[in-house]
Amino acid sequence: MQKPRILHFLLVTVLLIPLVGAAQPVITTNEKGEKIKVYPDGHMEYFNGDPIETADGQQATYPIFKGYIEPLDGAINVNQEDLYHIAQRRAQLSNTAAELAAQRVQEAEDNLSRLQARWSEVGDNEHQRNILQKQLAAAQRTLNISREQWRESQSTAVTDQELVAKGGFVEAFNRNRNESRRSANRSAAIRAAADASYASLIPLTDNSAATSFEDVLRRPPRRVCQLAFEGQDEEMNQLRRDLVPEPLFSYTDERLRPYLQDREYLRCEAYLSSVGGYRYLTLDFTFAYPNAREAYGFIDHRSILTLKMLNGEFVNLQAGTLDRGVYDTVKQELRYSVYYPIDRSIIGTLKASELDLVRVFWSNGFEEYPVRQMDFFQRQFACLGD
């Protein structure tokens, strides 16, 4: 049974040979997901960690992995370079958290020193001495907590850096994918056993005093359709309508949460548009920390956006433009805005079920985000008349 696969692989190898310059190997991936070099004379060897040029023109080096990479749901495959970028981003976010923790320690030390310096100013005033003692005790506790958070963040940063330097990020990815797949299968089994729709699984209220009222969980009130723009599209010379953006998801890495106060590291708002007979999804990303461009990179033209529906279906859209992000120096936020054309043949799929999660492919690897507004497409398509 293996012979046809071997012949197929050798045929692909032979076809690649004329495209290779003198003595320059082609870096590719075999059927097992292993990085290999294919030389002009036809011989092959495993990629040994030499620097290669990535899609954004940078040089990257990472350890060779001889094994299998779990495919993503939705008919999307990833390679070792993708996972390497993700591991790099995680290490960078760990370093950022460690830097912020060090700043927090310095602030706590300065505050404690300032309070200690006031002790001589208080003199024999017992009331003020009692207040100052409580302030000193609180400042010392804050400093102790800050130092502990700094030690933990330093340890995490070292671990993540070692994962990049020594390898192991592929195995970690495989473990996470398998666990996610098991969780999804358990959820699907529960829904199948119930033999009911998602909405019907939400219990009706058993409060007899409220029986005359609508159950807003099962029957949420219909939202009023709001247009952000309605007028002539200058490029296409057709009527364009943009719906009002609404929050779709937010994300904050747990290592950064203690230092962002009430802000989210990433917020995403979304809306649908119609231009003539065409439909578009626009995602507006806002990062609360300026290093996001280094950690995430950019969203390339035709990069994939995967939409996972609650019924298990997947829809892949492609970005209609390249966006490298714009930094707002006043609000200190990094913003991206990307539109994705929607073929009318998949509108029915997007309306048939609630939205579960969104998978965004950045130039430095993908990330998955659970959504807030699960009925986003159903409501917004209804507002557009679809």
Side-chain angles (χ1 to χ4, degrees), residues 92-351:
Q92 183 170 352
L93 292 176
S94 293
N95 288 334
T96 298
E99 292 172 1
L100 293 173
Q103 294 176 14
R104 183 75 61 86
V105 170
Q106 185 61 56
E107 292 170 358
E109 290 176 343
D110 293 343
N111 183 50
L112 182 61
S113 298
R114 180 180 58 83
L115 292 173
Q116 289 172 339
R118 288 184 54 197
W119 188 259
S120 60
E121 302 174 3
V122 173
D124 296 331
N125 189 316
E126 184 176 355
H127 177 67
Q128 291 187 3
R129 288 172 70 92
N130 289 337
I131 294 177
L132 184 56
Q133 282 180 335
K134 292 179 181 179
Q135 291 176 334
L136 285 168
Q140 186 63 59
R141 286 195 299 270
T142 299
L143 177 58
N144 293 339
I145 293 173
S146 298
R147 285 173 173 169
E148 180 60 28
Q149 289 178 337
W150 176 76
R151 284 191 289 267
E152 291 178 358
S153 61
Q154 282 286 93
S155 176
T156 301
V158 170
T159 300
D160 290 342
Q161 288 287 0
E162 289 180 348
L163 192 67
V164 174
K166 298 180 181 180
F169 46 84
V170 177
E171 291 86 345
F173 170 80
N174 287 341
R175 287 194 300 269
N176 291 337
R177 294 311 306 170
N178 286 325
E179 180 56 36
S180 298
R181 194 169 289 114
R182 284 193 292 269
S183 298
N185 290 339
R186 286 194 295 268
S187 299
I190 292 173
R191 290 196 297 272
D195 193 25
S197 66
Y198 173 77
S200 65
L201 295 179
I202 304 175
L204 287 167
T205 179
D206 57 1
N207 185 352
S208 59
T211 53
S212 62
F213 296 93
E214 285 288 327
D215 190 295
V216 296
L217 291 177
R218 288 277 300 276
R219 292 178 289 273
R222 183 177 179 85
R223 298 188 186 184
V224 178
C225 296
Q226 294 182 311
L227 290 174
F229 174 83
E230 185 173 22
Q232 196 76 0
D233 184 86
E234 296 180 357
E235 293 185 6
M236 301 185 68
N237 197 29
Q238 290 182 311
L239 175 65
R240 189 181 96 229
R241 293 188 298 162
D242 298 338
L243 295 175
V244 171
E246 59 181 85
L248 186 63
F249 62 81
S250 61
Y251 169 75
T252 298
D253 191 289
E254 291 303 319
R255 294 160 296 180
L256 297 176
R257 192 173 294 280
Y259 314 106
L260 292 175
Q261 298 178 350
D262 296 331
R263 295 186 302 166
E264 293 285 352
Y265 180 74
L266 168 62
R267 305 189 314 275
C268 178
E269 291 189 330
Y271 63 92
L272 294 184
S273 301
S274 66
V275 183
Y278 299 96
R279 301 294 181 264
Y280 301 90
L281 167 67
T282 298
L283 299 183
D284 293 329
F285 302 93
T286 302
F287 287 92
Y289 201 73
N291 78 330
R293 184 183 280 117
E294 299 175 7
Y296 287 80
F298 55 90
I299 295 182
D300 204 354
H301 176 235
R302 301 185 67 82
S303 66
I304 298 296
L305 175 75
T306 298
L307 306 171
K308 179 185 177 184
M309 315 307 292
L310 201 62
N311 63 2
E313 299 241 16
F314 290 86
V315 172
N316 291 321
L317 305 179
Q318 291 186 329
T321 184
L322 163 73
D323 196 320
R324 298 186 180 276
V326 177
Y327 185 65
D328 187 328
T329 56
V330 176
K331 294 185 177 181
Q332 296 185 338
E333 294 177 337
L334 179 65
R335 296 173 180 171
Y336 299 78
S337 183
V338 183
Y339 73 88
Y340 298 85
I342 302 175
D343 192 281
R344 295 195 67 89
S345 64
I346 63 175
I347 291 179
T349 301
L350 294 175
K351 293 168 57 179

Side-chain angles (χ1 to χ4, degrees), residues 198 310 353-356 371-378:
Y198 173 77
L310 201 62
S353 178
E354 292 83 359
L355 180 62
D356 186 12
V371 301
R372 292 183 186 176
Q373 310 293 343
M374 301 179 71
D375 61 342
F376 169 81
F377 285 109
Q378 296 163 327

